[in-house]
Amino acid sequence: SGRSTVVHCSPSTSTSSAKPSALSGSMFFQAGVQVVSSIFSMIQSAVILFMMAGFLHLAVLVLAGGKGFERTFRVYSYGRAIDVLELIPVAGFLGAAFYRIYLHFLGFRTAHSLSDGQAAGIAVLPITLWLGFILFLIGLAVVIVLLV
């Protein structure tokens, strides 16, 4: 009642037709692309970090005069450090967004001696601009659909 079947395979019956040299060449190419992509991503992140800090510093200068770009850069950088929370699905993104606003609020108020209102205005500025940009894109899409 308990029958077992034994299957024998020999190394010579391999069905693989890939040549080792072709396979290793494509693997090296893929590894090279990933290294270049990682380097480009780090450079891009640094450029965006400086640009956003510069934009926020401009807002600080307009509202209160500010105490130097370095302070603004530090506040923005420390606020972005909580991006690791975005690894948590859905709730992480929302939690990180609100906590980032709170950190920017405290940082700008302390680093530049701003009033609560000024610090709050600068802290919500990036999200306000992103939401405005998204609404602009939605409006543009609606106009394009209506014209077609």
Side-chain angles (χ1 to χ4, degrees):
S1 74
R3 299 178 80 190
S4 64
T5 306
V6 177
V7 178
H8 296 281
C9 292
S10 65
S12 63
T13 61
S14 173
T15 58
S16 175
S17 62
K19 296 178 182 175
S21 62
L23 183 62
S24 64
S26 66
M27 288 178 9
F28 282 121
F29 177 74
Q30 183 179 7
V33 168
Q34 288 177 346
V35 167
V36 170
S37 176
S38 296
I39 292 170
F40 179 74
S41 179
M42 287 186 275
I43 292 170
Q44 180 185 15
S45 295
V47 168
I48 290 173
L49 190 68
F50 274 100
M51 286 175 46
M52 282 303 298
F55 180 73
L56 291 174
H57 187 65
L58 182 63
V60 168
L61 290 175
V62 168
L63 289 178
K67 294 185 178 179
F69 176 75
E70 182 182 351
R71 289 180 183 209
T72 304
F73 182 77
R74 284 184 183 182
V75 169
Y76 185 70
S77 298
Y78 291 146
R80 294 305 303 192
I82 61 156
D83 283 350
V84 73
L85 290 178
E86 293 180 5
L87 294 173
I88 303 168
V90 182
F93 175 75
L94 294 173
F98 288 117
Y99 192 54
R100 183 178 304 116
I101 291 171
Y102 176 69
L103 289 178
H104 285 164
F105 166 75
L106 290 179
F108 285 121
R109 188 180 68 180
T110 304
H112 292 288
S113 302
L114 300 177
S115 69
D116 288 348
Q118 291 171 327
I122 293 171
V124 299
L125 189 60
I127 289 182
T128 305
L129 291 175
W130 275 114
L131 290 175
F133 181 68
I134 289 170
L135 289 175
F136 170 76
L137 290 179
I138 291 171
L140 185 63
V142 167
V143 167
I144 289 172
V145 167
L146 290 175
L147 291 177
V148 173

